[in-house]
Amino acid sequence: MNGSGEMTLAFELSALEETATPEAVFDDARRWSQYVGVVSDKPTYVVTNFTRKNRIRQDFFSGPKGKGESLESVREQFDTDRHVFVGTTDEDRELAEANEWEYLDVEEAAEAADWQLADDADDEAGAGEEDQRDDWP
């Protein structure tokens, strides 16, 4: 058992990609989730490359299956009180509901968990650059 919660949390790959620090998001999610993983329609190597690059150790991933089949399989394998799918689109919401998962948009999840989104990090970096002097050699 990883976290103290009775929850299985699945991130759609695109939702995880929207966070500024995916590794920190995953580590944080482990504190209150029993199982955490990534679900995507993209080829397995794409998910594997992303998780390795960001040093993410997942409890499950979609593999060659589609997202719907993956959510169904994960729900059957990981018996927790809650199954929550973090996604980015209306299609993700519909998929979650069709597979009896709760849905949470990545922006809502980030706000609730105090995760920084990549767009917000880019905005902050840009603001810092504006403060630099242009006339400095």
Side-chain angles (χ1 to χ4, degrees), residues 9-29 32 36-38 50-51 53-56 86-88 104-124:
L9 183 65
F11 287 94
E12 208 300 331
L13 179 61
S14 62
L16 207 50
E17 290 172 332
E18 286 191 20
T19 65
T21 53
E23 179 183 7
V25 167
F26 228 78
D27 289 345
D28 186 49
W32 35 265
V36 185
V38 179
F50 179 83
T51 56
K53 176 182 162 194
N54 289 285
R55 291 182 256 165
I56 292 171
V86 179
T88 59
L104 193 57
D105 185 87
V106 69
E107 292 180 3
E108 294 172 37
E111 186 175 328
D114 202 26
W115 298 331
Q116 189 171 27
L117 295 176
D119 287 346
D120 296 340
D122 292 344
D123 291 346
E124 286 178 16

Side-chain angles (χ1 to χ4, degrees), residues 1-132:
M1 181 160 112
N2 293 320
S4 59
E6 288 293 320
M7 178 170 56
T8 299
L9 183 65
F11 287 94
E12 208 300 331
L13 179 61
S14 62
L16 207 50
E17 290 172 332
E18 286 191 20
T19 65
T21 53
E23 179 183 7
V25 167
F26 228 78
D27 289 345
D28 186 49
R30 286 194 177 286
R31 292 184 313 144
W32 35 265
S33 301
Q34 192 167 4
Y35 304 105
V36 185
V38 179
V39 174
S40 177
D41 282 334
K42 292 187 178 176
T44 303
Y45 75 89
V46 173
V47 176
T48 301
N49 287 345
F50 179 83
T51 56
R52 281 186 185 155
K53 176 182 162 194
N54 289 285
R55 291 182 256 165
I56 292 171
R57 185 185 53 82
Q58 52 189 341
D59 297 315
F60 59 86
F61 65 97
S62 53
K65 304 174 189 174
K67 289 189 287 190
E69 190 178 347
S70 295
L71 291 176
E72 182 180 332
S73 176
V74 167
R75 186 168 178 75
E76 289 172 3
Q77 287 182 314
F78 298 100
D79 186 26
T80 55
D81 293 339
R82 295 176 64 199
H83 293 81
V84 179
F85 182 50
V86 179
T88 59
T89 65
D90 288 338
E91 290 81 19
D92 288 342
R93 177 183 302 280
E94 292 167 7
L95 188 66
E97 292 169 359
N99 287 282
E100 299 178 14
W101 282 66
E102 296 174 43
Y103 176 79
L104 193 57
D105 185 87
V106 69
E107 292 180 3
E108 294 172 37
E111 186 175 328
D114 202 26
W115 298 331
Q116 189 171 27
L117 295 176
D119 287 346
D120 296 340
D122 292 344
D123 291 346
E124 286 178 16
E129 291 171 6
E130 291 172 9
D131 293 339
Q132 293 179 355

